[in-house]
Amino acid sequence: MNLETIQHQIFEIRGVKVMRDSDLAKLYRVETKRLKEAVRRNRNRFPIDFMFELTQEELEFLRSQNASSSWGGSRYKPYVFTEQGIAMLSGVLNSETAINVNISIMRAFVCMRQFALSHAELTRKLEYLEVLVDQKFTDVYKALEYLIDKNVKDINQSKRKRIGFKPDN
């Protein structure tokens, strides 16, 4: 299973990474209706932090992210599953396909998490370099200001009217 394909089906809603029931059903090669039935039969395995139903606003947001006007006209709002909920699905669906798909999905979540961690590390290093470079530029600007001020003072000094003994030329 292609990890990149799975990663494109993972969205962030309510601050957590989730996958839609219809996308999971396609991956598991079952109808969305059957996937939802299996979940309803085992509702106690899917607390709110494992699975939740999208609000109308969240649904519109996902539609806009996918640049599509509809998902086939479903009468029901989709469920979305967190990483833990997806792991629970493999036990509920209990098929060889579900197990293999879950392994691929878990790998996709791990890749995304590793990318996010490396991105955070890179951001931290860039911020450090920015502070370092800003300090060096501050030092350079101070040196340039000193040289400019010194040059202006020298020019002003040479242009002033001299008093005192003036030698005849």
Side-chain angles (χ1 to χ4, degrees), residues 77-142:
K77 289 182 243 166
Y79 287 128
V80 291
F81 294 83
T82 64
E83 186 175 354
Q84 294 85 358
I86 294 167
M88 189 63 70
L89 273 175
S90 66
V92 169
L93 295 175
N94 200 17
S95 72
E96 192 66 34
T97 301
I99 292 168
N100 291 332
V101 167
N102 263 35
I103 290 169
S104 296
I105 292 171
M106 292 303 117
R107 286 181 177 149
F109 272 99
V110 168
C111 281
M112 291 178 75
R113 201 169 19 259
Q114 287 173 341
F115 176 77
L117 288 174
S118 67
H119 182 25
E121 178 69 15
L122 182 61
T123 300
R124 188 185 63 72
K125 286 180 180 179
L126 284 174
E127 287 171 350
Y128 171 75
L129 285 173
E130 189 176 275
V131 168
L132 192 65
V133 167
D134 280 349
Q135 181 59 44
K136 294 207 184 268
F137 274 110
T138 301
D139 293 344
V140 168
Y141 287 137
K142 284 182 183 176

Side-chain angles (χ1 to χ4, degrees), residues 41-57:
R41 282 193 306 267
N42 296 281
R43 188 66 180 112
N44 60 336
R45 293 182 182 218
F46 295 94
I48 192 73
D49 57 327
F50 282 30
M51 176 205 74
F52 53 90
E53 188 175 39
L54 292 180
T55 65
Q56 191 61 39
E57 295 82 26

